[in-house]
Amino acid sequence: MSLEEEEDSTWLLALESALHEGVDDHELIGITRGRILPDEHRAQIWYTCLGGGNKLSDFTQFDEIFDLQEQSVVRADCKALVDKLGNEEEDKVSVVCDVESIFTHYCKTRHLKYDSSLLWADLVLPLLAGKMPRDHIYICFEETLEKYVPRESGVGGPVYHLLRLLLLYHDPELSTFLDSRKITPDLYATSWMRSLFASVCSLDATMALWDIYFQERDPFFILFLSLVILVNAREQILEMSSEGREHIITTLSGIPSGLSIDDISDFCSLARYYIIKTPGTFRKVCKENVGCRDFATVIFGSVYMGHGEVCNRVGDLPLSQALCLPVSAEEIIDTCDLLQASPEDIEQVRFFLVDCRPSDQYNAGHLPNAFHLDSSLMLQHPASFQTAVQGLFMAQRQAVASETPGCGQHLCFIGSGREQEDQYVHMVVASFLQRNTQYVSLAKGGYHDSQSHSSEPADHEDFIASPKPQQSFMNKFSSLSSVFKMRSVEMKEKLVEYITNPNGESLTIDRHVSPQDRGKLYRNQGDVFSIEDEDGDSSRENDRFEVVRLSQWLKKPDVVSSFSCHQVKENGYMYKCHLLLMDTLLFVIRESEIKEGEGHVTARRTLASIVKITSKKRHPDLITFKYGTTSPDGEVTITDMDRFLIPKASEATKVIKEQIMKQMEAAKS
C-alpha cells in the first residue's frame, strides 16, 4: 500500500468511527481537515457542520397550505429544479412537493416574497443531490442561506463594496480597470453570492466546494473565493480592454463554470492564502460603540435581525465610498505586538506604517517604526513629495530585508483621526492607489485611536521609539519629509542625491551589510517593493528563463521524483509549475502560458542550500522552502525563499527531506 493510500485509509476509518459515535462538528472537522468528503458520508457531515444536530426546526409545523401570492412561480421553479436531477417520473412529484414545501414554509415564517432571482432553487439542488431527509434539507437550506449567503445580495449590497475593496487591496491594477469600465462586483458576482457558486459550477464541483466551505465555517470565505477567481483570470480580463462592457460582464460571470472537481482543493487553498494576507478588521466584532454592528452582522444573517447602527465606515465615509480597505487601530497594535513576540509567524499581516500627520504632531509622538510622510507636501512641494515617496519605498525595502519587527509589505496610512486635518491624507492614499500600489490600507480613527488601544501609557512621548546612539536607516528616512520643509537648497540637493541619483540607476544604500542582517534578499527577483506591478507581464519575465520541454525533463533518468504544484508569489499570484527533485538539486519549472508542453526553469536550488521547510497546521499544503547557510556554531542565515501550494504536501516534503538526508550522509562518507 502506498503512503497516499495508507493516509486515505487512516482518516476514512477515523471518520467512520467518529460518525458512528455521533461526535460534534469540531471533532469531525479535526478529522476531515478540509478534505473533499466521501459521497456516502457527505449528507451527515454537512448536516452536522451546519449545526443541524443542535437546532430545533419549526418545519414540522408546516400547515401544508400553499397559498403564497407567487405560488405558481414557486411551483414552476421546483419543477424545473427536479428536472435537472433526472429522477424517475414516479419520484418527481414527491420531490417537487418537498421543495415547494421548504420554500413556502420559509417565506411564510420569514414574511418574505418569493423571488426566482434569489436562486434558492440552485442553492437547494446540492442538498437534494446529497439525498438528505426532507427535514434535514430544510435545516441545511435555512442555515446555508442565513450563515453564508449575503442577506442584501441585490444591486449596491455591502458585500459587493467589500469585495471591491479586497480586489483593490490585492490587485489594484485589475480593480482600476474594472472601475474605469464602470463594472462593479454586483454586475458579475450576484449569482456567485446568492448560490455559493452552485448556479455557475457543475453539480460535482459545487458539492466538492461545499464540502470544504462548510468545514471552514467562515461566512467571508465566499469573498476570498471570488477574489481568487478574479486575480487568477486577470490576464484574460485585462486583455478585454477593447471589448464592450456587457461582453466583459458576461465573461466575468461565467469564469467559475470552468472549475472542475480536481480544481477545488487548490481553489480553496489559495483562498485561505489570501485570507492570511489580508487585514482582518472587517471580520471582527465592533467594540467601539454600544449597539454598533460589525460587518458580519451587516452582510450575513437572518432577515429577522434589526438594522441598528451599522459600523461600516472609514472616518465619516460610508463603506460604498471608502477609498481603500479600513484597518482598526486595535489590529495595528495587536499585529505589531504579535510579530515582536513571534517574528517567524508568516501568517501575520506585516504592516509598514506611514504617518501622514504634520511634522509637529509626528515629532510630538508616533508609533514605533512609523515612517513620516507629511501629506501637505503633496500640494505644497510636489517634487519633494515624490522624492520622499522614493525614500519611503527604500526604507520599506530595507526594513523587510532586515526583518525589522513590525515592518512588512502592507502599507497602512495613518492620519490624526480628525477630518479637517486629514483632508490631504486621502489624497496621498489615492496617489498610491493610482500607481497600482499593492496592499494599501487606511487606519480607522488615525493616531488618536491608536493611543486608546495601545498597552503603553497615553503620554505622547511614550510612543516615540527609544533614541539610539546611531540613527537607524529607517529613522533617517522617517525625518526626510520634515527636512524638506526647510528652504535650504543645499540640504535639499543632498537629500535628493541621497535617495536617488539623476541618471535613473538603481538605488543604493549608504551603509555596509552586517552579519546581523539576516533578511530575505530575494535574489533573482525584481524590486519586490517597487511602485510598479512586479508581475504585470509574466510572459516578459519568462523571456529571461531557459525554455525546456516538460515531457523530456520529467523523464530524465536523474529525476528522483517530481511534483505538480503552484508557485505562490509574494503578491499572491499563482503559477502552475513542477518541482523536479534530483540527487543534489531541486528545479522549479513554470509551465508556459503561451505554448503547451513548454516550461521555463525559474529556479535551480541545491539541496544543501535548503535550511528550512515549513508549513502551518491550518494550511498544510502551503509549503515554504527557506534557503541559506548554516555557520559552524549552528547559526542559520536565510538568503531566499520559495512558497508552493502542493497537493498532498506531506508526501512531497517527506521525499525531499529523505533526499537531503541521503546527500548529507554521502557528504560525510
Side-chain angles (χ1 to χ4, degrees):
M1 181 182 292
S2 69
L3 180 66
E4 180 180 336
E5 291 173 334
E6 183 178 348
E7 184 180 344
D8 286 344
S9 174
T10 301
W11 85 266
L12 286 172
L13 287 173
L15 176 62
E16 289 173 357
S17 175
L19 291 172
H20 180 72
E21 295 172 5
V23 300
D24 61 19
D25 55 337
H26 295 282
E27 291 189 51
L28 273 181
I29 291 171
I31 296 170
T32 55
R33 293 179 62 188
R35 294 182 174 95
I36 295 174
L37 304 172
D39 292 342
E40 63 270 23
H41 300 311
R42 175 173 284 129
Q44 187 177 353
I45 296 173
W46 281 10
Y47 181 71
T48 304
C49 287
L50 288 168
N54 303 317
K55 186 176 179 66
L56 294 176
S57 172
D58 59 0
F59 186 57
T60 55
Q61 301 172 14
F62 178 48
D63 55 15
E64 300 292 339
I65 297 175
F66 301 91
D67 58 355
L68 293 177
Q69 187 177 350
E70 315 81 27
Q71 199 68 52
S72 60
V73 179
V74 176
R75 187 165 294 126
D77 284 354
C78 293
K79 288 180 178 178
L81 168 65
V82 173
D83 287 339
K84 291 182 182 179
L85 287 172
N87 294 66
E88 298 294 334
E89 286 299 324
E90 57 269 21
D91 295 333
K92 285 187 177 181
V93 176
S94 174
V95 178
V96 168
C97 184
D98 287 346
V99 178
E100 188 174 0
S101 298
I102 290 169
F103 291 171
T104 303
H105 182 67
Y106 189 81
C107 284
K108 285 187 172 184
T109 55
R110 300 300 192 275
H111 307 291
L112 296 173
K113 181 179 180 180
Y114 181 81
D115 184 350
S116 296
S117 67
L118 293 176
L119 305 181
W120 287 1
D122 292 297
L123 196 66
V124 84
L125 178 60
L127 304 177
L128 290 171
K131 296 180 171 56
M132 296 182 178
R134 190 175 82 152
D135 58 330
H136 283 201
I137 291 176
Y138 181 83
I139 290 175
C140 289
F141 169 73
E142 180 183 62
E143 291 296 297
T144 302
L145 196 59
E146 297 184 355
K147 283 183 178 177
Y148 299 116
V149 176
R151 186 172 58 255
E152 297 179 32
S153 57
V155 175
V159 68
Y160 303 115
H161 299 311
L162 187 52
L163 176 56
R164 179 190 166 275
L165 292 177
L166 290 172
L167 181 61
L168 181 64
Y169 191 78
H170 289 282
D171 197 331
E173 181 185 8
L174 180 56
S175 178
T176 300
F177 170 75
L178 294 175
D179 285 348
S180 70
R181 303 301 297 269
K182 293 182 169 53
I183 299 174
T184 51
D186 49 9
L187 295 176
Y188 58 81
T190 299
S191 61
W192 308 353
M193 300 292 173
R194 288 180 171 175
S195 69
L196 301 185
F197 295 106
S199 67
V200 285
C201 293
S202 67
L203 182 59
D204 287 346
T206 298
M207 295 180 80
L209 176 61
W210 285 17
D211 285 343
I212 299 173
Y213 206 114
F214 295 150
Q215 293 176 63
E216 289 293 321
R217 296 185 298 183
D218 179 4
F220 292 103
F221 201 53
I222 185 70
L223 287 157
F224 290 94
L225 291 171
S226 301
L227 181 65
V228 170
I229 288 170
L230 294 170
V231 172
N232 281 275
R234 73 185 310 272
E235 299 303 328
Q236 178 188 354
I237 297 169
L238 294 175
E239 286 172 1
M240 292 191 289
S241 58
S242 60
E243 300 288 348
R245 179 168 173 267
E246 292 303 320
H247 174 78
I248 297 175
I249 292 171
T250 302
T251 303
L252 284 172
S253 299
I255 289 174
S257 63
L259 288 171
S260 69
I261 192 170
D262 294 330
D263 299 321
I264 298 303
S265 291
D266 284 349
F267 181 35
C268 293
S269 292
L270 194 57
R272 296 187 194 107
Y273 176 78
Y274 277 101
I275 288 173
I276 64 176
K277 296 279 283 185
T278 305
T281 292
F282 65 90
R283 296 169 162 273
K284 299 176 181 177
V285 175
C286 179
K287 301 176 182 177
E288 298 174 9
N289 300 310
V290 177
C292 176
R293 299 194 302 149
D294 54 276
F295 285 118
T297 52
V298 169
I299 296 174
F300 304 97
S302 170
V303 294
Y304 286 144
M305 297 177 67
H307 295 287
E309 181 186 351
V310 177
C311 184
N312 65 350
R313 295 177 170 269
V314 184
D316 288 332
L317 292 174
L319 182 61
S320 60
Q321 298 176 29
L323 188 60
C324 61
L325 199 66
V327 176
S328 68
E330 182 181 13
E331 180 173 6
I332 294 169
I333 299 297
D334 289 348
T335 300
C336 291
D337 290 345
L338 283 171
L339 286 173
Q340 289 182 10
S342 181
E344 287 292 315
D345 191 354
I346 64 168
E347 291 198 18
Q348 289 292 331
V349 169
R350 296 171 184 260
F351 291 113
F352 186 87
L353 304 179
V354 184
D355 194 324
C356 296
R357 295 175 299 147
S359 302
D360 56 341
Q361 292 185 27
Y362 177 84
N363 292 331
H366 58 267
L367 293 172
N369 289 330
F371 182 97
H372 185 220
L373 181 67
D374 191 332
S375 58
S376 64
L377 281 174
M378 188 173 180
L379 292 182
Q380 297 175 13
H381 303 283
S384 300
F385 175 78
Q386 293 302 326
T387 308
V389 168
Q390 294 181 42
L392 184 156
F393 277 92
M394 182 185 282
Q396 183 191 35
R397 188 164 55 246
Q398 173 65 15
V400 171
S402 61
E403 296 185 334
T404 302
C407 293
Q409 302 168 38
H410 298 252
L411 291 172
C412 184
F413 292 84
I414 303 174
S416 65
R418 292 178 285 272
E419 181 183 3
Q420 189 172 3
E421 295 178 3
D422 289 345
Q423 55 181 322
Y424 294 133
V425 175
H426 293 89
M427 295 176 61
V428 170
V429 174
S431 72
F432 277 78
L433 294 174
Q434 287 169 0
R435 299 169 189 255
N436 293 329
T437 308
Q438 224 178 2
Y439 306 141
V440 171
S441 62
L442 183 65
K444 293 169 62 178
Y447 180 73
H448 178 268
D449 275 15
S450 70
Q451 289 182 296
S452 61
H453 287 288
S454 176
S455 58
E456 299 291 332
D459 188 1
H460 279 215
E461 283 69 20
D462 290 326
F463 282 92
I464 302 176
S466 301
K468 298 178 181 178
Q470 268 194 319
Q471 192 179 20
S472 70
F473 181 87
M474 181 86 163
N475 289 334
K476 285 180 185 178
F477 282 112
S478 292
S479 60
L480 281 181
S481 58
S482 300
V483 174
F484 277 129
K485 290 236 170 180
M486 301 177 183
R487 296 304 178 97
S488 168
V489 176
E490 181 182 356
M491 176 64 73
K492 180 176 178 180
E493 289 176 351
K494 287 182 178 179
L495 286 169
V496 171
E497 185 177 356
Y498 180 62
I499 298 175
T500 182
N501 62 62
N503 297 323
E505 297 174 358
S506 58
L507 299 172
T508 57
I509 302 172
D510 66 341
R511 64 187 290 274
H512 295 288
V513 177
S514 75
Q516 284 71 40
D517 292 338
R518 279 182 261 143
K520 308 182 188 84
L521 302 183
Y522 298 100
R523 291 179 299 185
N524 303 323
Q525 293 190 26
D527 184 357
V528 177
F529 304 102
S530 66
I531 293 174
E532 296 300 323
D533 185 4
E534 177 193 359
D535 285 295
D537 189 347
S538 59
S539 61
R540 196 181 309 159
E541 179 186 350
N542 288 338
D543 290 342
R544 305 197 307 267
F545 303 125
E546 179 187 358
V547 179
V548 298
R549 294 293 301 175
L550 278 172
S551 57
Q552 294 176 0
W553 273 63
L554 291 171
K555 293 177 182 177
K556 279 192 172 188
D558 51 347
V559 173
V560 176
S561 190
S562 63
F563 310 96
S564 178
C565 59
H566 288 82
Q567 186 174 21
V568 183
K569 299 296 287 271
E570 285 294 322
N571 55 15
Y573 298 147
M574 186 170 72
Y575 299 95
K576 192 171 184 181
C577 66
H578 298 266
L579 290 180
L580 268 63
L581 177 65
M582 299 189 180
D583 287 339
T584 60
L585 298 170
L586 183 67
F587 283 88
V588 181
I589 303 181
R590 182 188 298 177
E591 290 191 9
S592 173
E593 298 175 0
I594 301 172
K595 291 185 180 180
E596 187 175 355
E598 283 192 355
H600 301 87
V601 180
T602 61
R604 175 183 178 275
R605 309 289 191 181
T606 63
L607 297 186
S609 69
I610 301 175
V611 294
K612 282 186 181 181
I613 302 177
T614 62
S615 66
K616 294 292 180 179
K617 290 183 179 179
R618 286 182 291 170
H619 314 292
D621 290 342
L622 187 62
I623 305 298
T624 301
F625 289 83
K626 296 185 178 181
Y627 312 99
T629 57
T630 305
S631 65
D633 59 359
E635 188 174 0
V636 175
T637 301
I638 305 296
T639 58
D640 209 346
M641 62 180 286
D642 289 319
R643 188 168 291 147
F644 301 97
L645 197 60
I646 310 176
K648 300 189 182 299
S650 59
E651 181 178 351
T653 54
K654 180 180 180 182
V655 173
I656 294 171
K657 287 177 181 178
E658 288 175 350
Q659 187 62 30
I660 292 173
M661 294 302 296
K662 286 181 183 178
Q663 186 190 3
M664 291 174 63
E665 291 171 3
K668 290 178 182 178
S669 61

